[in-house]
Amino acid sequence: MLTATPTQPAASNMDAALIPLPASIEPAAGQFTLTGSAGIFVDPPTPELTAIGQYLADRLKPATGYKLPVTAQASSAPAAGGILLTTTGGDPSQGEEGYTLTVSPGGVRLTAYRPAGLFRGLQTIRQLLPAAIEMSTQQPGPWVMPAGVIRDQPRFAWRGAMLDVARHFFSLKDVETYIDLLAYYKLNIFHIHLTDDQGWRLEIKSWPELAKKGGSTAINSDPGGYYTQEQYKELVAYAAARYITVVPEIDMPSHSNAALASYPELNCDGVAPALYTGGEVGFSSFCTSKDITYKFLDDVIGEVAALTPGPYIHIGGDEAKSTKEEDYLVFIQKVMDIVKSHGKQVVGWEEISKAKLAPGTIAQAWASDLVTKAADQGAGVIYSPANKAYLDMQYDSSTPLGLNWAGYVSVPDSYLWDPTTILTGIPVSQMLGIEAPLWSETLRTLKDIEYMAFPRLPGLAELAWSPLAGRNWNEYRLRLGLQGERLAALGVNYFHAPEVDFQ
Ligand code: TNX
């Protein structure tokens, strides 16, 4: 059982505890105290801004016990005693996700050019309040925030986390809890690895056995499961309400045993293999020479594209060890055309870099410098180096969960790297950002997910959001230490890393 006892008052200074660190902080004298008579004001009072205001109210209500009604108020009026969220007068140079937060003794004002910026900024408001604000039961307060001005915007446009729901299946509710935590650290991409050898996790109406049969298993014969299309839509909407884009991955041509076991015609010999619950990779392959394979992928990608409002479909492409290289290259090109025909942009693991890439393709680096071949073709690059960003790597030899094929990844290891120095020859303009994958071979519960993701994920979120200048572990470890109380208040089962003094 987790016992959280957040007793610490708000940080006395604005820059003491925030992760990710904002681009600029100007502390001022004094503080703002949120009281029971406070309101949350929005201008203009559109449904979208009202929903953002309500999201903030819902986060603040359990611990404060305050009503915090969300109402319209002109941004020209002082936010007397309350919190004003407005896009009126927002600065276009702050982009889609930037914001300015002004905390003064009389009130709090959050201004952004776009609603997404307000959503990111309200995470800063949460983190400026005492850690006990995240408790689910009423706490005594007082609810003070240090005064000052924060001007903030992200360094990278792609700030992602990936969850493997194929090796082990996680309920919609567990995935939503994870998405809430991504939102708290200002991530904007949730990549969901929906299919693999051990399980197919999304209902496909035109090929129903995929989920029914292919979804029935998980690694080590643990319980399987899948999301109905309705549930997947709910997940996408849940993420969208947090300004997070869902990137669905259908892994191919390898990592496909669950599909091959569900439909014999997808195999070159027409014989379905048995369902698979082991941990090997790279042994399966769609039959790249059969027309039915492309009809199948067109149907699947068509349904996934129709369910997914975001612009991306991830086609995997990794570890195709049992597909001949020349077949692999032709296969990837055909699949790119299919994805394009459904109006989406292709994302793939670094191995796709060997193929001739369609314009707009994004390659995801994980174990080598292969993505330089993609970058040479003009592709965007996402950085997920396994020895830094893989949340499924053990922290050290004593970690009870996780793998170690890329080595142990301590909390400092995961924080101390940068896309601009990890591979050479990739133009900065093509470095889209960072993603932290969490593979689930050894993970069975939400608590397991939390243990591996925290506290590494906040650091990766900071690498993706905050300016590079001035970054240093000794300063970061103090801020991370202060997050301990917040994570505990949120009920997160985080790893108490020995390098960090958690409060
Ligand atoms: C490599 S990373 C894989 C996954 C495994 C992971 C375990 C990548 C594209 N492929 O299939 O789950 O290692 O860490």
Side-chain angles (χ1 to χ4, degrees):
M1 271 300 285
L2 278 167
T3 48
T5 49
T7 49
Q8 191 209 339
S12 54
N13 213 321
M14 253 192 158
D15 52 6
L18 299 170
I19 296 180
L21 191 67
S24 121
I25 304 176
E26 289 167 33
Q31 62 187 28
F32 168 75
T33 305
L34 187 73
T35 66
S37 59
I40 294 178
F41 311 114
V42 290
D43 175 30
T46 58
E48 189 173 8
L49 261 60
T50 303
I52 294 171
Q54 195 55 52
Y55 182 93
L56 178 60
D58 291 345
R59 299 285 82 66
L60 306 184
K61 275 178 192 175
T64 61
Y66 301 159
K67 281 206 180 73
L68 301 170
V70 179
T71 56
Q73 180 177 300
S75 61
S76 49
I83 302 176
L84 173 81
L85 311 178
T86 184
T87 49
T88 304
D91 175 359
S93 75
Q94 290 188 317
E96 282 292 308
E97 297 182 287
Y99 64 91
T100 298
L101 175 64
T102 307
V103 180
S104 24
V108 173
R109 177 179 292 263
L110 178 61
T111 309
Y113 176 54
R114 304 282 292 143
L118 295 177
F119 189 81
R120 303 294 173 236
L122 77 80
Q123 310 309 325
T124 306
I125 292 177
R126 291 169 70 184
Q127 288 201 11
L128 287 172
L129 285 159
I133 197 70
E134 302 301 342
M135 299 285 281
S136 56
T137 53
Q138 201 173 324
Q139 305 297 312
W143 305 110
V144 293
M145 291 168 71
V149 181
I150 290 177
R151 287 186 190 81
D152 200 10
Q153 65 189 87
R155 177 176 175 216
F156 288 113
W158 190 291
R159 304 183 309 280
M162 186 216 81
L163 182 64
D164 171 10
V165 298
R167 270 54 175 273
H168 276 103
F169 180 68
F170 300 96
S171 71
L172 198 64
K173 196 164 168 291
D174 285 351
V175 176
E176 288 176 351
T177 301
Y178 195 49
I179 289 176
D180 282 332
L181 294 169
L182 306 185
Y184 189 56
Y185 291 104
K186 301 187 173 74
L187 296 188
N188 66 349
I189 296 278
F190 178 59
H191 166 184
I192 183 163
H193 181 79
L194 285 166
T195 69
D196 214 300
D197 292 316
Q198 299 87 347
W200 184 286
R201 306 299 180 205
L202 177 64
E203 175 192 20
I204 300 295
K205 303 230 192 231
S206 53
W207 296 77
E209 290 301 311
L210 290 171
K212 238 200 259 161
K213 180 165 188 185
S216 66
T217 44
I219 212 163
N220 294 336
S221 304
D222 283 327
Y226 66 88
Y227 310 113
T228 63
Q229 295 205 346
E230 284 309 308
Q231 288 174 322
Y232 177 80
K233 276 194 229 165
E234 184 188 323
L235 184 73
V236 167
Y238 192 91
R242 287 146 186 79
Y243 295 87
I244 289 176
T245 300
V246 171
V247 179
E249 178 182 351
I250 306 293
D251 205 346
M252 60 188 89
S254 197
H255 292 279
S256 52
N257 194 78
L260 297 170
S262 306
Y263 287 100
E265 59 268 44
L266 299 177
N267 297 272
C268 283
D269 62 4
V271 179
L275 289 165
Y276 182 72
T277 58
E280 296 300 310
V281 296
F283 60 89
S284 55
S285 180
F286 284 123
C287 187
T288 58
S289 59
K290 274 187 165 179
D291 289 347
I292 185 81
T293 297
Y294 302 99
K295 160 84 174 108
F296 164 80
L297 291 171
D298 188 46
D299 290 343
V300 169
I301 290 168
E303 288 194 36
V304 175
L307 294 167
T308 305
Y312 314 108
I313 301 272
H314 200 303
I315 60 166
D318 55 317
E319 300 175 312
K321 295 178 190 166
S322 54
T323 317
K324 281 204 207 100
E325 170 109 357
E326 65 263 36
D327 297 343
Y328 177 85
L329 299 178
V330 172
F331 174 87
I332 293 293
Q333 272 171 36
K334 285 191 177 179
V335 172
M336 279 187 186
D337 287 344
I338 294 174
V339 172
K340 218 166 95 190
S341 76
H342 293 288
K344 301 293 184 187
Q345 234 173 304
V346 170
V347 189
W349 295 107
E350 63 190 18
E351 288 91 334
I352 68 160
S353 311
K354 295 180 277 185
K356 187 171 175 309
L357 303 177
T361 299
I362 296 170
Q364 184 165 10
W366 64 279
S368 76
D369 60 3
L370 260 179
V371 293
T372 54
K373 284 193 200 307
D376 289 347
Q377 301 182 59
V381 174
I382 308 165
Y383 291 79
S384 303
N387 61 356
K388 304 286 183 192
Y390 267 32
L391 299 173
D392 62 313
M393 290 300 119
Q394 291 174 290
Y395 293 95
D396 58 39
S397 61
S398 67
T399 315
L401 302 168
L403 306 175
N404 58 32
W405 65 262
Y408 300 122
V409 180
S410 69
V411 176
D413 289 339
S414 66
Y415 183 72
L416 293 170
W417 65 282
D418 190 71
T420 51
T421 51
I422 206 148
L423 296 173
T424 50
I426 298 179
V428 173
S429 62
Q430 284 167 251
M431 297 178 180
L432 302 185
I434 289 173
E435 192 175 290
L438 182 47
W439 301 97
S440 64
E441 285 92 336
T442 64
L443 315 179
R444 302 173 63 210
T445 64
L446 175 62
K447 292 291 158 216
D448 293 348
I449 290 175
E450 290 173 352
Y451 187 80
M452 298 310 282
F454 295 94
R456 289 181 288 202
L457 189 74
L460 292 160
E462 173 151 312
L463 300 194
W465 179 283
S466 308
L468 176 61
R471 188 172 297 157
N472 111 50
W473 167 254
N474 284 328
E475 183 276 329
Y476 175 70
R477 69 183 278 280
L478 301 177
R479 278 185 290 121
L480 185 56
L482 290 165
Q483 291 286 315
E485 258 191 323
R486 286 174 194 278
L487 291 171
L490 286 161
V492 173
N493 178 38
Y494 70 96
F495 169 62
H496 290 246
E499 301 89 348
V500 183
D501 296 322
F502 283 104
Q503 302 293 309

